[in-house]
Amino acid sequence: MSEDIDWLQIFKACEENVKAKIQHLKKSPPPQSELGIGAGGDPIKPVDLAAENAIVKTIRERNLSFTLISEESGIRKFGNTPEDCYLTIDPIDGTTNLVHGLPFYCSSIAVSRKPSSSKVFAALVTDLHHDISYTAIEGKGAQRNGQRITPSQNSTLNKALIGLDLNTYKIKEIIPRINNLIQHTKHIRHFGANALEICYVADGSTDAFVDLRGKLRATDVAAAFLILKEAGGTLTAPDGQPIDLKLDPKQKTKFIVSGNPKIHKALLDLITIGKQTC
Ligand code: IPD
Ligand code: CA
């Protein structure tokens, strides 16, 4: 059974091997050429492929059968029984930060029984610059560097620090919907690696994170969603409905994640109001 495997130990090895591959890029990243378009629809950079190869190699060395669902190389099957488990990965989330020398990027790995986000049972999001790793095993809570994490209990927007992805894409459509949200929120941030930003909600560093674009892929969020859920945070689509994503590099999502149901409701109300007035 793939659930009996020590995934935390495998995650540790993946993390070390990815870091070894990108070590030389940390201080002065050389210009990155583009190697075509990845399965998720964005250009692939050499650093993305190096990280993907490091993860795949680490798992293959353990003779496991699995189906890989990657933002870069798409869906690939390994071993005799590839339906044993599904590994949904974003080798580097925050590639733009990495190639600009900005210290905020991570790798994500989600392990699931079926290719759907509700079936993820083990997850890693690892901050490759600061040596901070978020992990979760279904039913066993979420951890940052092995220590249990819980989200913020702040329910007041005028004291809140909220992440908001406004990165390109449909911006004219989105601005009217977030007008009220920005006006009522004390602090707004976007660091540029959404999986890590969801983990910041999971550990209470921020109060919520909102991405209304419908641009982010399931591969970016599959691991972070389990970490958020296991920490005790709240996750819904912008209309308040639950989210269960097909795990496929082409599957896109929009979502709100929050530390607690009260602040989540406040956000949903503001976003809906914004929608009605636009
Ligand atoms: C990107 C980051 C960024 C978001 C982009 C994503 P990538 O991930 O998560 O914060 O605004 O939409 O594509 O491309 O570096 O894996
Ligand atoms: Ca990526």
Side-chain angles (χ1 to χ4, degrees), residues 221-278:
V221 294
F225 279 180
L226 181 70
I227 292 165
L228 187 272
K229 197 169 104 190
E230 284 296 323
T234 306
L235 155 74
T236 69
D239 61 1
Q241 293 302 308
I243 295 184
D244 186 9
L245 298 173
K246 179 182 178 197
L247 294 178
D248 183 286
K250 297 203 171 14
Q251 174 70 48
K252 304 285 171 73
T253 184
K254 23 179 123 163
F255 60 89
I256 302 175
V257 297
S258 312
N260 61 78
K262 251 183 155 174
I263 201 161
H264 200 84
K265 175 155 189 337
L267 288 166
L268 285 174
D269 288 349
L270 283 174
I271 284 164
T272 308
I273 290 164
K275 190 181 178 185
Q276 283 163 353
T277 54
C278 70

Side-chain angles (χ1 to χ4, degrees), residues 42 71 90 92-96 165 167 190 192-194 197 213 215-217 220:
D42 282 351
E71 188 184 310
D90 184 1
I92 304 284
D93 180 18
T95 304
T96 303
D165 194 324
N167 211 353
H190 182 219
N194 292 12
E197 292 177 83
R213 301 170 302 154
K215 178 180 193 285
L216 206 68
R217 297 155 292 251
D220 293 69

